[in-house]
């Protein structure tokens, strides 16, 4: 502390002008032996409210760390009460000393001047001290922060009025008559701060902090506390109001404190591109005696905006004391008479980032129009207040943002709920969504303009429809009405401007002639390239008054949300219309399909009246049954015979005419142009299943009647509407079947067409089943038909082969029964390989014809070489490929089925015979023209 250093100890003895060495030595000795018996306690918060205290000052962290400790200083002052009394009386007298002469106009003292504190303070003293309470109020240590916020260099500090500085703090280190060097220390005495509790053990402890008792200390620059800051600390975030209210309170408070004629405040706003711009929060507001007629013109406002932008860019205060004489501005007479002095201070957050800027214009003494200048002390006061505002502003903005986001979330949820519900019309849907955000934005009008799809007669873009809503406040609530307005009676200029620019339009203009406050937002389609509508909010009314205000950024976000949901609604309605059209198209297609797939009445009647041959005459129980050469009428009669002999018609009460129509419809579902996968193949597959069921009593025991019904229906429909190509080709060509099902496309299509026929009028053979049985049959049908996909067979056959190796299998498990049904479906589907050799050879040629046709398509369409079995160039190798097919696919399956059910052994025997025949053809081909690798393979297989 400067007054306790060796060079400043001379002023401590009132009786001597120059003390001797012994006196100084005694003083230092008394300081060294002083002890602390009670902790130091700050009695109030006036240190925080001091205009010289800077929350960003780095020196405050070393307040009592350098030099003599504070408790030692207080103890020394208590022990030397005579010196203390004489010193502070002498220092108080400097207030009325020669400092009255000043080169600048003298600012009159406020009623709460610091000098009054020497007479009005009430503090506790040691009983032995003769100093009264008014003098003891000066016993307070405070840091003097470096002038980091001052725009003037340190060497220019003395040019400011000394009496102004003294009026703020009589013991300021910059006082001309102060006995301490101006910059020699960080500590000084200041009556601006309340006392620290003396460390004497004789002093009774005060239970409560001491707050200022002076009634006229209303302004923090001239008293012991700041009412604005006290409100910030007392109320918390919830009582600070909005960001605008907080900024208004801060700038108006400091404006009155600094006796400014006008004050303003702007915050930094970042746009989408990352660039900064100033957003006016507190417009230039008149203070003191400035009348409303003397407000600044547009030129003045642009000048102030430029100065504030410079302060934001540099991050430093700007104290312009003579605007008229500054060549940088070149003001005319009108401007120089309006703006003479300007004090601009940036607002920084806790990270040191500039978040705003505050400005004071024209310092005044009184209401007579005389103008003074803003001093360094004024700059400090404003800087400290704005530093506090910057620290609080982040939290208030976050708090306000959280509240606004909560309201926005509520609005989004309500709009989503509206969108999810079914509405009678599109206009009603948009009206309900628009009505959702109106209470949140306090807009009086909301209009949605729907763009016309085509240009008008003048080749101009226009709107085809308009949805107009009005909000009427009824006390604490509001009622929203939809007004039927003709589009020609509504101003479309701003909506058209937004439609052309494809950007948000915001306008806020309030004058005596016009009142405009609106925002327009474009509504885009799913590609985000074309604007399909425009949403417009107009006339935002203030909550607390009947005045109109501008829409803020939260209103803009809500309008953008509404535009987004309107776009979703438009796409939703469009999708619904497309879906309805497609559904209608599907229904028409189904009607056409049902008509063409249903046999003629005469054909149904003929089958119904025909005499059905016996199974013996049709050889239906023979595993070597061949449908080749069987007339179509006889093939349908054979199908009826299988259902009759299995007692399915009787057990499930199937109407006989319905059964006849269903059989004929299934036959018509197969394509005659397909060489192999046609109705003949379906009949052969069903006959193989029928033969296994009739020959094996164990299968009748394992399967329920419902399962047998499902197996017979599945075998007849397992390849219905086959296109002559496999799933790989369908997926490669991206046919609709592949897009519809994804995997096992053909098998899924077969199942769906099977269900379509079962549901077709007149073909409902399952109509007598209960709902539970009906669901069970459909489930088994799907599993059985999908099992004919060879990929599914290859995935599940290992498990089946393991069961076949067991001596006894318990088939009560549903999983095992499902596996058995799947394997029997595949065995029936591949049963052509077990037929007599002439039939097998004929069927092999049909299959080869179908496969080669697909290979030709792949060559032509994809320019690729097909696999061997589909490559026509490999036709001489057909016997080899057939042997490989039997060894890899067929033989293991029939071997497992025969091991489980010996009555099915004819299937295995037929498979072996046909393999031998194909092997014989292969060997003949080998003798003529054979490759070595093929010969080795065949010989190995023969040995096996």
């Amino acid at each position: 502390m400067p007054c306790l250093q060796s060079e400043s100890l001379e002023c401590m003895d009132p009786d001597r002008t120059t003390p001797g060495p012994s006196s100084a030595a005694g003083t230092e000795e008394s300081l060294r032996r002083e002890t602390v018996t009670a902790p130091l306690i700050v009695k109030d918060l006036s240190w925080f409210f001091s205009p010289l205290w800077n929350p960003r000052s780095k020196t405050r962290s070393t307040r009592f760390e350098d030099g003599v400790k504070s408790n030692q200083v207080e103890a020394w002052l208590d022990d030397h009460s005579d010196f203390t009394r004489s010193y502070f009386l002498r220092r108080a007298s400097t207030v009325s000393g020669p400092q009255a002469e000043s080169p600048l106009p003298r600012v009159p003292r406020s009623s709460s001047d610091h000098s009054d504190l020497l007479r009005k303070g009430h503090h506790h003293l040691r009983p032995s001290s003769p100093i009264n309470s008014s003098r003891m109020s000066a016993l307070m240590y405070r840091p003097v922060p470096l002038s980091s916020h001052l725009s003037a260099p340190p060497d220019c500090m003395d040019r400011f009025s000394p009496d102004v500085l003294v009026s703020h703090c009589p013991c300021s280190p910059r006082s001309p008559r102060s006995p301490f060097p101006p910059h020699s220390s960080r500590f000084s005495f200041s009556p601006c701060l309340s006392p620290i509790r003396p460390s004497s053990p004789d002093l009774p402890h005060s239970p409560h902090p001491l707050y200022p008792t002076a009634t006229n200390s209303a302004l923090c620059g001239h008293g012991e506390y700041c009412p604005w800051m006290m409100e910030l600390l007392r109320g918390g975030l919830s009582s600070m109001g909005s960001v605008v209210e907080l900024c208004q309170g801060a700038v108006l408070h400091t404006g009155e404190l600094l006796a400014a004629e006008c004050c303003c405040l702007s915050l930094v706003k970042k746009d989408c591109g990352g660039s900064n711009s100033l957003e006016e929060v507190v417009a230039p507001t008149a203070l003191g005696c400035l009348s409303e007629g003397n407000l600044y013109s547009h030129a003045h406002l642009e000048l102030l905006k430029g100065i504030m932008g410079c302060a934001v860019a540099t991050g430093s205060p700007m104290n312009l004391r003579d605007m008229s004489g500054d060549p940088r501005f070149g003001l005319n007479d009108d401007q120089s008479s309006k703006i003479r002095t300007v004090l601009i201070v940036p607002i920084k957050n806790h990270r040191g980032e500039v978040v705003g800027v505050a400005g004071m214009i024209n310092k005044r003494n009184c209401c007579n129009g005389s103008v003074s200048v803003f001093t360094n002390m004024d700059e400090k006061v404003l800087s400290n207040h704005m530093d506090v505002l910057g620290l609080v502003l982040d939290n208030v903005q976050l708090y306000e943002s959280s509240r606004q986001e909560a309201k926005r979330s509520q609005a989004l949820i309500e709009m989503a709920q509206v969108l999810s519900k079914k509405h009678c019309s599109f206009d009603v849907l948009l009206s309900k969504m628009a009505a959702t955000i109106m209470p949140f934005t306090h807009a009086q009008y909301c209009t949605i303009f729907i763009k016309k799809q085509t240009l008008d007669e003048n080749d101009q873009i226009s709107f085809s429809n308009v949805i107009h809503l009005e909000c009427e406040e009824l006390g604490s609530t509001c009622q929203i009405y939809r007004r039927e307005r003709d589009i020609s009676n509504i101003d479309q200029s701003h909506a058209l401007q937004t439609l052309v620019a494809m950007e948000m339009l915001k306008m806020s203009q309030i004058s005596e002639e016009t009142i405009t406050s609106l925002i327009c937002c474009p509504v885009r389609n799913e590609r985000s390239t074309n604007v399909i509508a425009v949403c417009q909010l107009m006339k935002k009314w203030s909550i607390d008054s009947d005045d109109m205000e501008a829409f803020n950024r939260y209103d803009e976000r809500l309008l953008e949300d509404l535009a987004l949901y309107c776009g979703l609604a438009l796409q939703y309605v469009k999708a619904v219309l497309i879906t309805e059209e497609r559904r209608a198209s599907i229904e028409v297609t189904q009607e056409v399909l049902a008509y063409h797939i249903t046999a003629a009445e005469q054909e149904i009647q003929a089958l119904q009246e025909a005499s059905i041959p016996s199974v013996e005459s049709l050889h239906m129980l023979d595993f070597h049954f061949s449908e080749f050469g069987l007339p179509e009428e006889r093939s349908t009669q054979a199908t009826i015979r299988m259902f009759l002999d299995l007692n399915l018609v009787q057990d499930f009460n199937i109407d006989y005419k319905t059964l006849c129509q269903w059989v004929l419809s299934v036959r018509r579902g197969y394509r005659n142009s397909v060489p192999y996968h046609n109705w003949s193949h379906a009949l052969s597959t069903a006959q193989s299943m029928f033969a296994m069921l009739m020959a094996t009593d164990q299968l009748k025991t394992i399967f329920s009647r419902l399962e047998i019904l499902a197996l017979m229906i599945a075998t007849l429909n397992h390849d219905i509407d086959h296109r002559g190509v496999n799933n790989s080709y369908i997926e490669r060509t991206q046919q609709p079947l592949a897009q519809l099902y994804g995997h096992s496309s053909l098998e899924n299509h077969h199942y769906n067409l099977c269900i379509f026929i079962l549901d077709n009028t007149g073909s409902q053979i399952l109509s007598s089943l209960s709902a539970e049985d009906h669901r069970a049959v459909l489930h088994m049908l799907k599993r059985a038909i999908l099992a004919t996909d060879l990929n599914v067979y290859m995935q599940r056959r290992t498990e089946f082969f393991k069961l076949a190796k067991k001596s006894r299998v318990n088939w009560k498990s549903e999983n095992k029964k499902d596996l058995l049904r799947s394997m029997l479906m595949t065995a029936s589907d591949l049963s052509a390989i077990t037929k007599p050799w002439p039939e097998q050879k004929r069927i092999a040629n049909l299959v080869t014809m179908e496969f080669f046709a697909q290979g030709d398509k792949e060559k032509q369409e994809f320019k690729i070489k097909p696999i061997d079995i589909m490559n026509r160039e490999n036709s001489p190798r057909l016997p080899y490929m057939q042997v490989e097919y039997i060894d890899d696919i067929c033989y293991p399956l029939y071997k497992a089925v025969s091991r489980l059910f010996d009555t099915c052994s004819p299937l295995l025997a037929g498979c072996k015979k046909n393999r031998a025949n194909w092997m014989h053809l292969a060997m003949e081909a080998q003798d003529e023209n054979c490759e070595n690798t093929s010969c080795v393979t065949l010989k190995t297989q023969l040995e096996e």
Side-chain angles (χ1 to χ4, degrees):
M1 185 165 185
C3 61
L4 296 180
Q5 295 177 359
S6 59
E7 69 227 65
S8 303
L9 291 175
E10 305 176 24
C11 61
M12 287 186 157
D13 192 346
D15 299 328
R16 298 176 60 180
T17 305
T18 305
S22 61
S23 175
T27 301
E28 294 175 354
E29 179 67 21
S30 64
L31 289 175
R32 285 194 297 268
R33 65 172 179 265
E34 186 68 18
T35 59
V36 180
T37 58
L40 298 176
I41 301 177
V42 179
K43 305 307 292 182
D44 61 26
L45 296 175
S46 57
W47 63 272
F48 183 75
F49 301 135
S50 170
L52 295 181
W53 178 81
N54 186 351
R56 304 187 188 281
S57 176
K58 297 181 180 179
T59 59
R60 59 190 175 94
S61 61
T62 59
R63 182 174 180 180
F64 296 117
E65 294 179 5
D66 297 339
V68 183
K69 300 297 182 181
S70 61
N71 54 354
Q72 294 176 316
V73 174
E74 292 188 7
W76 188 90
L77 291 175
D78 289 339
D79 291 339
H80 299 77
S81 58
D82 293 338
F83 161 74
T84 306
R85 176 181 57 187
S86 175
Y87 171 75
F88 282 106
L89 286 176
R90 184 172 70 254
R91 294 303 301 132
S93 65
T94 62
V95 176
S96 57
Q99 293 88 340
E101 299 177 3
S102 172
L104 296 176
R106 179 182 177 88
V107 179
R109 300 172 186 265
S110 171
S111 60
S112 58
D113 200 333
H114 295 315
S115 61
D116 296 338
L117 295 178
L118 297 176
R119 300 183 297 274
K120 296 180 181 179
H122 299 281
H123 307 287
H124 293 284
L125 300 176
R126 291 179 55 165
S128 60
S129 176
I131 302 179
N132 58 27
S133 61
S134 63
R135 296 189 182 99
M136 192 58 196
S137 65
L139 300 180
M140 175 64 197
Y141 309 103
R142 60 168 302 280
V144 181
L146 298 177
S147 303
S148 59
H149 294 281
L150 299 180
S151 57
D155 56 357
C156 300
M157 300 290 287
D158 296 336
R159 289 183 290 179
F160 298 111
S161 174
D163 64 315
V164 174
L165 295 175
V166 171
S167 68
H168 286 283
C169 183
C171 298
S172 171
R174 296 188 180 89
S175 177
R177 298 190 58 181
S178 173
F180 314 126
H183 303 289
S184 62
S185 174
R186 288 181 290 255
F187 302 102
S188 65
F189 293 109
S190 174
C192 305
L193 305 174
S194 50
I196 293 179
R197 180 177 180 174
S199 59
S200 172
D202 302 332
L203 182 65
H205 293 197
S206 176
H208 303 289
L210 298 178
Y211 293 99
T213 57
T215 59
N216 59 346
S217 58
L219 299 177
C220 58
H222 306 282
E224 289 192 348
Y225 76 100
C226 171
W228 175 72
M229 295 186 187
M230 185 68 76
E231 286 297 325
L232 292 184
L233 297 177
R234 182 183 303 158
L237 287 175
S238 59
S239 63
M240 292 180 185
S242 63
V243 173
V244 175
E245 293 171 344
L246 175 67
C247 295
Q248 285 177 343
V251 72
L252 292 178
H253 169 73
T254 51
E256 291 290 348
L257 177 62
L258 301 183
E261 287 185 354
C262 184
C263 59
C264 57
L265 188 145
S266 298
L267 295 180
V268 175
K269 179 182 179 181
K270 289 188 176 182
D271 56 19
C272 300
S275 59
N276 296 333
S277 61
L278 283 177
E279 181 181 22
E280 187 178 76
V281 177
V282 181
T285 305
L287 301 170
C289 63
L290 191 65
S291 63
E292 291 295 332
N294 293 328
L295 290 177
Y296 304 108
S297 64
H298 178 73
H300 295 120
L301 297 179
E302 290 298 319
L303 176 62
L304 291 175
K305 187 176 179 180
I307 299 174
M308 296 172 80
C310 182
V312 171
T314 60
S316 302
M318 298 184 65
N319 193 347
L320 306 176
R321 296 181 174 87
D322 186 7
M323 293 285 292
S324 60
D326 197 323
R328 293 176 297 176
F329 304 105
L331 303 181
N332 54 36
D333 295 338
D334 177 66
Q335 290 176 328
S336 60
S337 63
K338 291 288 186 66
I339 302 180
R340 298 182 180 180
T341 59
V342 176
L343 176 59
I344 305 294
V345 171
I347 305 171
K348 299 182 179 181
N349 58 17
H350 66 281
R351 296 180 295 273
E353 302 170 348
V354 178
V355 296
V357 60
M360 299 293 160
I361 307 169
N362 294 348
K363 184 177 177 68
R364 55 182 169 80
N365 277 344
C366 58
C367 294
N368 57 9
S370 60
V371 179
S372 182
V373 296
F374 293 104
T375 65
N376 283 5
M377 186 63 66
D378 295 332
E379 185 176 327
K380 276 192 168 187
V381 171
L382 181 59
S383 295
N384 293 340
H385 279 78
M386 293 305 105
D387 283 340
V388 175
L389 175 62
L391 295 176
V392 178
L393 193 58
D394 265 358
N395 292 331
V396 174
Q397 287 177 327
L398 182 61
Y399 177 69
E400 182 175 352
S401 177
S402 64
R403 291 189 302 169
Q404 295 293 341
E405 286 299 325
K407 295 180 181 179
R408 178 170 176 253
S409 300
Q410 181 182 351
L412 291 176
I413 292 174
E414 293 180 4
M415 283 192 289
Q417 291 175 345
V418 171
L419 185 60
S420 63
K421 296 178 181 178
K422 188 175 181 180
H423 303 279
C424 58
S425 67
F426 173 64
D427 291 352
V428 172
L429 172 61
L430 292 184
S431 299
K432 289 185 177 181
M433 287 197 298
T436 301
I437 71 164
M438 291 184 69
F440 293 97
T441 59
H442 303 285
Q444 186 176 359
Y445 304 109
C446 179
T447 309
I448 301 177
F449 299 87
I450 309 299
K451 179 185 175 183
K452 186 180 294 185
Q453 298 296 328
T454 58
L455 301 178
D456 58 14
E457 58 275 6
N458 298 324
D459 293 336
Q460 299 291 328
I461 57 175
S462 58
F463 299 106
S464 60
N465 189 21
V466 63
I467 300 173
H468 183 73
L469 281 77
E470 296 183 6
C471 180
E472 180 180 345
E473 295 188 2
L474 301 175
S476 60
T477 61
C478 62
Q479 188 70 35
I480 299 175
Y481 301 94
R482 180 186 171 190
R483 306 296 187 187
E484 295 295 337
R485 301 282 296 274
D486 188 80
I487 192 170
S488 59
N489 297 329
I490 296 180
D491 183 11
Q492 309 175 34
S493 57
H494 302 105
L496 287 172
Q497 184 178 350
T498 304
L499 186 64
V500 174
M502 295 191 296
E503 295 178 351
M504 176 172 283
L505 173 66
K506 181 179 179 181
M507 295 186 60
S508 178
Q509 182 179 359
I510 303 177
S511 61
E512 296 180 357
E513 299 178 355
T514 61
I515 299 178
T516 304
S517 176
L518 65 84
I519 46 177
C520 293
C521 184
V523 179
R524 303 179 185 275
N525 60 3
E526 72 278 8
R527 299 179 181 177
S528 299
T529 55
N530 299 326
V531 178
I532 56 179
V534 174
C535 295
Q536 174 180 290
L537 293 178
M538 191 172 180
K539 290 189 178 180
K540 177 182 176 69
W541 295 101
S542 175
I543 305 177
D544 303 325
S545 65
D546 294 335
D547 299 331
M548 193 178 69
E549 59 184 22
F551 290 99
N552 54 37
R553 62 179 179 274
Y554 298 108
D555 300 328
E556 296 177 16
R557 294 186 64 184
L558 280 175
L559 186 61
E560 289 175 349
D561 295 334
L562 174 61
L564 177 62
Y565 274 86
C566 286
L568 291 176
L570 289 170
Q571 297 305 316
Y572 170 74
V573 171
K574 183 178 179 181
V576 168
L577 293 177
I578 294 175
T579 303
E580 293 296 335
E581 292 177 358
R582 290 181 177 176
R583 181 181 292 112
S585 177
I586 291 173
E587 292 178 356
V588 173
T589 303
Q590 289 179 343
E591 290 178 2
V592 174
L593 176 61
Y595 172 79
H596 288 283
I597 209 170
T598 303
E601 186 65 28
Q602 298 82 355
E603 192 176 1
I604 298 173
Q605 186 176 359
L607 180 58
Q608 182 180 359
E609 297 175 354
S611 175
I612 306 300
S614 63
V615 292
E616 292 78 11
S617 62
L618 294 172
H619 306 286
M620 299 293 292
L621 297 177
D622 190 357
F623 284 104
H624 297 157
F625 170 82
S626 175
E627 77 287 353
F628 179 71
L630 198 67
E632 285 191 354
E633 309 83 54
R634 193 55 66 99
S635 66
T636 54
Q637 293 173 6
T639 305
I640 298 295
R641 173 50 64 186
M642 287 188 289
F643 274 77
L644 292 174
D645 283 16
L646 286 172
N647 294 324
L648 298 178
V649 177
Q650 299 86 338
D651 291 344
F652 297 103
N653 195 22
I654 301 175
D655 181 72
Y656 190 71
K657 181 180 179 181
T658 302
L659 178 63
C660 294
Q661 180 175 334
W662 175 77
V663 172
L664 292 173
S665 297
V666 172
R667 188 191 69 180
R668 294 170 70 94
Y670 282 89
R671 302 190 180 190
N672 296 327
S673 60
V674 177
Y676 173 68
H677 292 93
N678 48 35
W679 168 246
S680 296
H681 170 64
L683 178 60
S684 176
T685 304
Q687 185 274 332
S688 297
M689 180 65 72
F690 173 75
M692 286 190 288
L693 291 174
M694 294 296 289
T696 310
D697 293 335
Q698 188 180 356
L699 288 177
K700 295 180 181 179
T701 305
I702 294 174
F703 295 136
S704 66
R705 303 297 297 165
L706 207 62
E707 290 174 291
I708 294 176
L709 175 65
L711 286 173
M712 293 305 299
I713 296 175
T715 53
L716 285 170
N717 291 269
H718 80 284
D719 274 334
I720 192 170
D721 196 38
H722 200 287
R723 282 88 189 285
V725 293
N726 59 12
N727 287 324
S728 176
Y729 179 83
I730 290 177
E731 294 173 2
R732 184 174 297 174
T733 54
Q734 297 181 352
Q735 294 185 14
L737 285 180
Q739 299 175 0
L740 185 61
Y741 302 113
H743 66 91
S744 300
S745 303
L746 282 172
E747 287 73 23
N748 278 288
H749 175 60
H750 303 328
Y751 166 73
N752 285 330
L753 190 54
C754 171
I755 300 303
F756 175 78
I757 296 176
L758 288 173
D759 291 338
N760 191 24
T761 304
S763 301
Q764 300 168 343
I765 61 174
L766 302 179
S767 59
S768 61
L769 297 180
S770 64
E772 182 179 357
D773 289 344
H774 191 271
R775 286 193 299 269
V777 168
L778 295 186
H779 174 71
M780 288 185 290
L781 275 176
K782 185 171 185 178
R783 297 284 296 178
I785 293 177
L786 292 181
T788 58
D789 185 353
L790 286 181
N791 290 328
V792 177
Y793 160 71
M794 297 300 291
Q795 295 171 6
R796 304 190 65 183
R797 71 174 188 170
T798 303
E799 182 183 358
F800 182 71
F801 294 163
K802 290 180 180 179
L803 288 178
K805 294 179 181 179
K806 294 182 179 181
S807 59
R808 189 173 183 180
V809 181
N810 184 1
W811 296 105
K812 292 183 180 180
S813 170
E814 179 58 34
N815 291 334
K816 293 180 181 178
K817 292 171 66 175
D818 177 68
L819 180 62
L820 179 58
R821 291 195 300 266
S822 299
M823 293 299 111
L824 293 182
M825 284 293 300
T826 304
S828 301
D829 189 19
L830 305 180
S831 62
I833 203 67
T834 67
K835 301 299 181 181
W837 174 244
E839 183 69 12
Q840 156 61 198
K841 192 173 182 181
R842 183 186 66 84
I843 294 176
N845 290 329
L846 294 177
V847 174
T848 303
M849 186 186 305
E850 190 173 302
F851 284 175
F852 286 169
Q854 176 178 332
D856 294 341
K857 292 180 181 178
E858 292 178 351
K859 285 182 180 180
Q860 182 179 0
E861 296 177 10
F862 308 121
K863 310 300 180 183
I864 62 174
K865 182 180 179 180
I867 60 176
D868 290 344
I869 198 175
M870 295 186 179
N871 192 352
R872 192 178 297 274
E873 297 176 359
N874 291 334
S875 57
R877 298 187 66 249
L878 178 61
Y880 303 106
M881 294 186 290
Q882 283 294 99
V883 171
E884 292 175 355
Y885 168 67
I886 293 173
D887 291 341
D888 294 339
I889 304 296
C890 305
Y891 180 77
L893 175 61
Y894 292 119
K895 182 179 178 181
V897 172
S898 299
R899 182 176 296 177
L900 288 171
F901 312 103
D902 55 357
T903 54
C904 297
S905 57
L907 295 173
L908 179 61
C911 180
K912 289 181 177 180
K913 290 180 180 180
N914 288 325
R915 183 189 184 280
N917 292 327
W918 286 115
M919 179 63 68
H920 178 71
L921 292 179
M923 296 301 293
E924 289 180 353
Q926 179 181 354
D927 295 337
E928 295 177 2
N929 186 12
C930 171
E931 296 181 1
N932 294 329
T933 54
S934 300
C935 295
V936 173
T937 303
L938 287 174
K939 289 179 180 179
T940 303
Q941 293 172 346
L942 285 172
E943 291 175 359
E944 293 178 355

